[in-house]
Amino acid sequence: MKNYTVNTVGNSSLALSDAVNLLSSNCPNEADRYDESRLINEVRSVDARPFYKKFYGAYDVDGTLIGVGGIKSADWASDTHILYMMAVEKDHRGKGVGSELEYTRIQWVRDNFAHGRCLVSTTHKKRFERWGFKSVSEVNNRHLMVLEF
């Protein structure tokens, strides 16, 4: 049974802070690339197509943010969308939270765009193959994967 809901992360200071804290504490090897100010700018939603940026959060029954994941348009390639910055609290891993966040973002793209491609860079190749992603390259066990629709 699912004990959480998935919704967009708002742009309030509290919502942004919760998402940044979750990403910072669950992605320590990204700390060199993403300082707090950059994370705040990344998580802040922009709904101006074609260059949108959205974050979805998984919220526990008490409203605590337990997972987060973003999707944005690639400003350098037409009809290209990027799944990025996903993290799930350690205590909630293995319960479908990450899968739900992946599904929600992929479905949002499919519902809002007639065609295109979705990219992800991941060490979890099999996880994304189940959604139809294909690996196009691998460097240091990190796969660049694409889903065309």
Side-chain angles (χ1 to χ4, degrees):
M1 182 170 101
K2 186 169 101 168
N3 291 335
Y4 59 88
T5 58
V6 174
N7 296 302
T8 55
V9 172
N11 281 339
S12 72
S13 295
L14 180 59
L16 292 173
S17 177
D18 286 348
V20 165
N21 288 337
L22 191 145
L23 286 163
S24 295
S25 64
N26 286 279
C27 301
N29 21 334
E30 299 291 352
D32 292 339
R33 292 177 54 211
Y34 298 106
D35 64 18
E36 184 177 351
S37 63
R38 181 171 179 205
L39 281 173
I40 288 170
N41 285 333
E42 283 299 322
V43 174
R44 184 173 287 119
S45 291
V46 175
D47 203 9
R49 293 194 191 148
F51 302 114
Y52 71 88
K53 182 172 51 166
K54 296 179 78 68
F55 267 80
Y56 285 91
Y59 297 88
D60 207 346
V61 291
D62 67 359
T64 303
L65 184 66
I66 59 171
V68 67
I71 186 159
K72 66 181 179 178
S73 61
D75 59 356
W76 43 267
S78 299
D79 302 316
T80 302
H81 316 274
I82 303 167
L83 294 180
Y84 75 125
M85 289 189 176
M86 190 173 100
V88 175
E89 285 284 359
K90 289 179 177 101
D91 293 344
H92 296 277
R93 293 180 187 163
K95 299 177 182 177
V97 175
S99 294
E100 182 91 11
L101 285 166
E102 290 163 4
Y103 172 81
T104 299
R105 294 178 292 157
I106 293 165
Q107 195 58 47
W108 182 85
V109 167
R110 288 179 182 256
D111 289 347
N112 286 277
F113 297 91
H115 56 84
R117 70 195 65 77
C118 194
L119 302 175
V120 66
S121 175
T122 183
T123 58
H124 305 287
K125 180 181 174 191
K126 289 190 184 299
R127 181 178 191 134
F128 287 93
E129 284 176 336
R130 70 180 166 177
W131 302 118
F133 282 79
K134 307 275 187 236
S135 183
V136 293
S137 71
E138 177 189 357
V139 176
N140 297 328
N141 197 36
R142 191 153 195 93
H143 298 267
L144 177 61
M145 301 185 77
V146 63
L147 170 69
E148 295 186 79
F149 61 96

